[in-house]
Amino acid sequence: REQLEWFARLKAKAESPDATEVDRALYRMYYLGEYAEITGDIFTPANIQVVPSAPEGVMHIWAYCDPSALWGKDYFACVLSGVKDGVMYVLDVYSVNSGSRDDVVHKLREWCTKYKDVTVCVETNGFIGQEFYAYVTGTFGRLMYVNQNKNKFDRIMANYENICSRVRFVECEALQPFLTQVYTFAKNCEHDDNIDAVDTSFSVHRWQGHL
């Protein structure tokens, strides 16, 4: 029964006026058994869910950040998130490619002041991440690191359904510029830092047993 319901959802999404290239590709691959390649839009205002506020009782508040050199191509993307009833709420975002590490630390401290028992999680795949983790060691009471080794595009696409159905973005001042980058995500897009931070935030909550 669950399998039939899943097939029905695939078909309904693919036939929706708001269907993305991913919805159509998944329908062709898993419902029709055809080959399909994702070449168009992936995340859009129609499948990214924005809500005016988070519900009471959101738990497991995490501030995830993916460090960059703060100049040039890569953005230093940070996502503050929490969980309730199997849904991840993106409570606030911060993404810049200029400024200083102290600017980022100031934002993280602001989040830790606003919310209780915030865990700061730093991506440490490369030297820049490792350096930032060392830089903030001793600054925050709850600090951990995470490494992501899988192909970024494949990893995000594996979480496509979760991001569309189990993530809510709470309206905040920085959200729309943040989502503008999310909507440009594609296999060879110029910037993928923001959606990568959302994807890893969801994965970290799942690894910790929050989702």
Side-chain angles (χ1 to χ4, degrees):
R1 180 180 175 181
E2 289 183 3
Q3 191 73 22
L4 292 175
E5 291 176 350
W6 182 66
F7 281 131
R9 287 196 299 271
L10 283 179
K11 187 173 187 293
K13 286 184 177 181
E15 294 176 348
S16 167
D18 296 323
T20 66
E21 182 68 20
V22 179
D23 295 324
R24 290 185 286 269
L26 292 177
Y27 171 68
R28 289 178 59 191
M29 287 186 287
Y30 296 111
Y31 191 98
L32 300 178
E34 300 175 354
Y35 171 79
E37 185 174 351
I38 299 168
T39 58
D41 55 349
I42 296 175
F43 298 107
T44 72
N47 64 21
I48 290 293
Q49 300 189 56
V50 178
V51 295
S53 61
E56 293 290 332
V58 172
M59 302 173 62
H60 310 299
I61 309 298
W62 285 61
Y64 168 80
C65 53
D66 186 3
S68 80
L70 288 167
W71 62 272
K73 182 179 180 181
D74 292 334
Y75 279 70
F76 199 130
C78 304
V79 170
L80 181 72
S81 63
V83 173
K84 184 176 182 183
D85 297 332
V87 173
M88 184 181 89
Y89 290 86
V90 175
L91 305 170
D92 204 349
V93 293
Y94 182 76
S95 182
V96 293
N97 68 346
S98 63
S100 70
R101 292 184 300 187
D102 287 338
D103 294 332
V104 179
V105 171
H106 177 77
K107 175 55 69 173
L108 294 175
R109 281 178 171 157
E110 180 183 300
W111 287 347
C112 290
T113 299
K114 185 175 181 180
Y115 294 90
K116 184 180 179 181
D117 296 329
V118 176
T119 299
V120 175
C121 181
V122 179
E123 172 76 64
T124 57
N125 272 23
F127 173 75
I128 292 173
Q130 295 166 16
E131 188 180 44
F132 184 75
Y133 180 81
Y135 185 72
V136 298
T137 296
T139 301
F140 303 104
R142 300 167 66 94
L143 177 67
M144 67 167 290
Y145 66 88
V146 64
N147 289 311
Q148 289 278 37
N149 298 316
K150 295 180 180 179
N151 175 275
K152 187 185 295 188
F153 181 81
D154 293 342
R155 175 166 47 79
I156 294 171
M157 290 314 304
N159 246 347
Y160 171 78
E161 287 290 341
N162 286 324
I163 293 170
C164 293
S165 63
R166 299 180 64 192
V167 176
R168 306 289 186 273
F169 293 81
V170 178
E171 290 182 351
C172 61
E173 184 178 355
L175 182 61
Q176 288 310 315
F178 185 92
L179 289 180
T180 295
Q181 186 193 109
V182 170
Y183 297 146
T184 67
F185 174 68
K187 194 162 191 176
N188 297 306
C189 62
E190 185 176 5
H191 300 296
D192 54 17
D193 307 290
N194 292 356
I195 189 60
D196 185 31
V198 173
D199 169 74
T200 304
S201 295
F202 189 92
S203 295
V204 167
H205 281 297
R206 188 166 52 189
W207 296 335
Q208 294 295 316
H210 305 157
L211 288 167

